Amino acid sequence: MSDRMESTEKERIEETEKIDIISFAGDFLYGLKKLWLLILVLTLAGAGISYFRTSYTYTPQYVASATMSVTAPGGQYIGAQTASQMAEVFPYILTSGVLEDVVAREMGMDSVPGSISATAEEGTNLLTMSVTSDDPQMAYDILHTVIDCYPEVAEFVLGNTSLTILDETGVPSDTQKEVVVRGSYRRGAVMGAGAGLVILCLYILLKKTVKSKDKLKSQINLPDMGSLPYIRNKKRKKKPEQNKVSLINERTPASYQEAMRRLRIRVLKEVEENQTKTIMVTSSIPGEGKTTVAVNLAISLVRQGKKVVLVDCDLRNPSIADFLGITEQRPGIDSVLHKKAAVTDVLTEIDVNGENKLTLLLGEEEEKTDISLLGSKRMEGLIAELKNMADVVILDTAPAQLLADAALMARFVDAALYVIRYDYTKMYKIREGIQALAMSKIKMLGYVFNCDRNSGDGKYGYGYGYGYRRYGSYGHYGRYRDTGKRDKKEDLSGRVIKD
């Protein structure tokens, strides 16, 4: 029994390690796709910097060398062992300073302006001496002086020997620059690529975002309402309405429509079984696609024959009108909450399939708005009035972790649908947003995993492009800044804020 338990535990550990390795490999490839340009730039920059630095700081080095046979006086052959011994003791003779002193004295100098080395050809009596200097003639002169003086210095160690020159380079030329420079830019490229890979590994280890629903299930206690595939966007200037991932857009791929249909089925089950009539759609931070989900869920429900009212409760940054291509300025939810207009006077209807209509209560572009109204009796009364007009009321709210708007009005709403975008939001922000809603005692319908790249359905020409323009003027939320480009906002890390 014990052996079986140990075997099971071992298999479980091995499976966990296998999953971790596969997960890391997947994260590595995904990170590589995102950072490949940075790695390429660092590689080229490293190669270029190293190349130019070496080219400008390179000092020519001239190497004069000669190959000699080691013989005894009278031409008597000296064995390979003696030649090898001469090469082995050469470093000791050099470090002792005796040879350099003799050579310097012979040349009439205080010191030798170059470096000297010697190697023995294995199995022969041949010895090769080399002298390196920054002056070619000096290198040649030092070499011959060393050849003349070396037997005299080595006599105390090896006895009486002589050196016979068999081959020499003559006055050398600089042949090393090309080799040195080529090696330098290769080393620079390797260092640049290494720096890029270090950044990639740090990116993988420190970016605690969610890339799978399995991770979500282990971190948060919410029902899984389904996934919506990532749809890549190809901007069309002539037909901007086709840039939206909308069920009204005929170019939206069937995979996305099918995923939305599955979400609608789950939501309808909740509506019918628990008499849920008001649903808040929110997320942790801007850019997770909550407006896209809210609009498409409303359209899908209308196509199913339900009477739906879609309300833009994001007072700071109303975006439903922009999403649906409504450019006409008209009174909206602000006017109703400030008692400037009746709700029936500001409602708008749009066709979704030629037969059924979606009712909208849009937001207004106001410089200043009273956010506390979201938690007021007026808001409670407005939601109650809308419930009497429709089968389902969907409220698109501001991000729950970033702002308190959603939590303020949560006590007037039956349930909340939480949108979480693939590889976008850090896990602690997701938990904080859910906790903020949970404190209001609202029922959490579940989460939608948006832009899911694991679904394999995202190879199409669409995406999200709904920018958050106005959160920057509210206290500590000012970390979201305007880049000066239309429909593009970035936080301080340079991430584009979209919704």
Side-chain angles (χ1 to χ4, degrees):
M1 182 70 176
S2 176
D3 291 342
R4 194 188 331 175
M5 290 179 63
E6 289 180 2
S7 176
T8 303
E9 180 66 15
K10 184 178 179 181
E11 290 176 1
R12 185 188 66 80
I13 293 173
E14 289 177 350
E15 184 66 22
T16 301
E17 291 175 348
K18 180 180 179 182
I19 293 172
D20 288 341
I21 292 172
I22 294 173
S23 176
F24 181 81
D27 291 346
F28 184 86
L29 291 175
Y30 178 70
L32 191 60
K33 288 180 182 178
K34 298 195 75 171
L35 300 181
W36 69 268
L37 184 59
L38 173 62
I39 296 173
L40 178 61
V41 169
L42 289 174
T43 301
L44 295 177
I49 292 171
S50 181
Y51 172 81
F52 287 110
R53 184 178 62 185
T54 303
S55 297
Y56 283 111
T57 61
Y58 176 76
T59 301
Q61 294 293 308
Y62 300 92
V63 180
S65 61
T67 301
M68 300 153 288
S69 63
V70 183
T71 59
Q76 184 179 352
Y77 176 81
I78 296 294
Q81 183 177 0
T82 303
S84 178
Q85 287 175 348
M86 291 184 72
E88 288 175 2
V89 301
F90 189 79
Y92 301 102
I93 296 174
L94 284 179
T95 55
S96 70
V98 176
L99 178 61
E100 288 195 4
D101 290 343
V102 172
V103 172
R105 185 177 68 250
E106 190 73 20
M107 297 182 70
M109 297 179 176
D110 295 330
S111 62
V112 178
S115 60
I116 310 166
S117 63
T119 56
E121 298 293 332
E122 186 176 355
T124 69
N125 70 327
L126 301 181
L127 184 68
T128 300
M129 282 192 182
S130 299
V131 175
T132 303
S133 178
D134 55 8
D135 180 86
Q137 186 62 51
M138 182 61 68
Y140 182 76
D141 292 342
I142 294 173
L143 174 66
H144 279 271
T145 305
V146 170
I147 293 172
D148 293 338
C149 298
Y150 184 69
E152 176 187 346
V153 176
E155 181 179 359
F156 299 102
V157 179
L158 299 172
N160 193 12
T161 57
S162 63
L163 301 176
T164 303
I165 298 175
L166 303 177
D167 183 38
E168 67 170 80
T169 59
V171 178
S173 60
D174 181 21
T175 60
Q176 296 299 308
K177 182 175 181 179
E178 184 179 349
V179 176
V180 172
V181 171
R182 187 187 303 121
S184 71
Y185 74 69
R186 286 177 178 173
R187 286 192 300 273
V190 171
M191 292 176 64
L197 292 176
V198 169
I199 293 173
L200 174 59
C201 291
L202 290 175
Y203 172 83
I204 295 171
L205 295 174
L206 298 179
K207 195 169 188 278
K208 304 296 184 181
T209 55
V210 181
K211 300 185 183 70
S212 71
K213 290 203 290 185
D214 290 337
K215 184 176 181 180
L216 270 177
K217 291 174 183 178
S218 66
Q219 296 287 330
I220 61 175
N221 187 25
L222 285 183
D224 176 11
M225 298 296 286
S227 297
L228 297 175
Y230 169 77
I231 310 298
R232 184 176 300 167
N233 185 23
K234 292 180 180 177
K235 296 293 184 182
R236 299 173 182 271
K237 294 182 179 179
K238 294 183 178 180
K239 297 181 178 180
E241 68 277 4
Q242 293 186 355
N243 294 334
K244 312 296 184 181
V245 182
S246 168
L247 297 185
I248 298 176
N249 183 359
E250 62 183 13
R251 296 181 65 86
T252 299
S255 59
Y256 187 89
Q257 297 185 43
E258 177 61 22
M260 186 56 66
R261 186 186 70 83
R262 292 194 294 266
L263 174 61
R264 181 196 70 206
I265 291 172
R266 294 184 176 102
V267 170
L268 278 177
K269 181 180 179 183
E270 171 67 22
V271 169
E272 294 169 358
E273 290 182 357
N274 299 305
Q275 302 301 308
T276 301
K277 296 200 68 175
T278 53
I279 299 173
M280 170 193 297
V281 180
T282 189
S283 61
S284 301
I285 62 174
E288 297 197 75
K290 62 177 184 57
T291 298
T292 304
V293 173
V295 172
N296 285 323
L297 177 59
I299 293 172
S300 185
L301 289 170
V302 169
R303 287 181 173 177
Q304 192 65 15
K306 297 295 181 180
K307 175 67 175 176
V308 180
V309 177
L310 176 62
V311 186
D312 196 336
C313 295
D314 194 345
L315 302 186
R316 292 183 174 91
N317 182 54
S319 46
I320 290 178
D322 179 63
F323 183 91
L324 293 172
I326 301 173
T327 57
E328 180 185 352
Q329 296 294 324
R330 63 186 72 189
I333 187 172
D334 278 273
S335 298
V336 176
L337 292 177
H338 285 91
K339 296 185 176 180
K340 296 178 181 179
V343 63
T344 52
D345 295 332
V346 298
L347 292 177
T348 302
E349 290 187 336
I350 61 168
D351 273 327
V352 295
N353 61 356
E355 298 178 0
N356 300 314
K357 295 181 182 296
L358 171 62
T359 303
L360 305 173
L361 178 53
L362 300 175
E364 299 176 60
E365 296 285 349
E366 297 287 345
E367 290 298 324
K368 293 183 179 180
T369 186
D370 187 359
I371 302 302
S372 63
L373 288 173
L374 293 174
S376 67
K377 289 288 185 179
R378 296 180 195 175
M379 188 68 192
E380 183 179 15
L382 172 60
I383 292 176
E385 188 174 355
L386 294 174
K387 286 173 69 173
N388 293 329
M389 297 180 181
D391 299 317
V392 182
V393 178
I394 296 178
L395 304 105
D396 178 27
T397 72
Q401 189 274 338
L402 182 65
L403 299 167
D405 303 26
L408 280 174
M409 56 184 294
R411 56 199 176 102
F412 309 137
V413 183
D414 297 331
L417 183 64
Y418 208 83
V419 178
I420 300 172
R421 184 170 178 172
Y422 174 93
D423 192 30
Y424 193 78
T425 310
K426 293 184 182 295
M427 181 58 74
Y428 81 89
K429 290 189 176 183
I430 296 173
R431 284 196 291 262
E432 286 179 359
I434 294 172
Q435 289 169 4
L437 291 178
M439 291 178 66
S440 66
K441 307 299 183 182
I442 189 174
K443 178 181 179 180
M444 298 300 294
L445 199 61
Y447 68 85
V448 178
F449 198 39
N450 196 26
C451 295
D452 185 5
R453 291 176 180 265
N454 297 320
S455 64
D457 298 322
K459 299 177 181 178
Y460 299 88
Y462 303 88
Y464 302 104
Y466 318 110
Y468 269 67
R469 302 180 295 278
R470 300 174 60 196
Y471 288 130
S473 60
Y474 288 82
H476 66 281
Y477 304 117
R479 66 181 180 270
Y480 294 96
R481 60 181 175 86
D482 195 330
T483 63
K485 296 181 181 179
R486 185 178 179 184
D487 294 333
K488 286 190 178 181
K489 310 293 164 183
E490 295 180 355
D491 58 18
L492 291 181
S493 65
R495 181 174 61 185
V496 174
I497 302 298
K498 298 179 181 178
D499 189 39

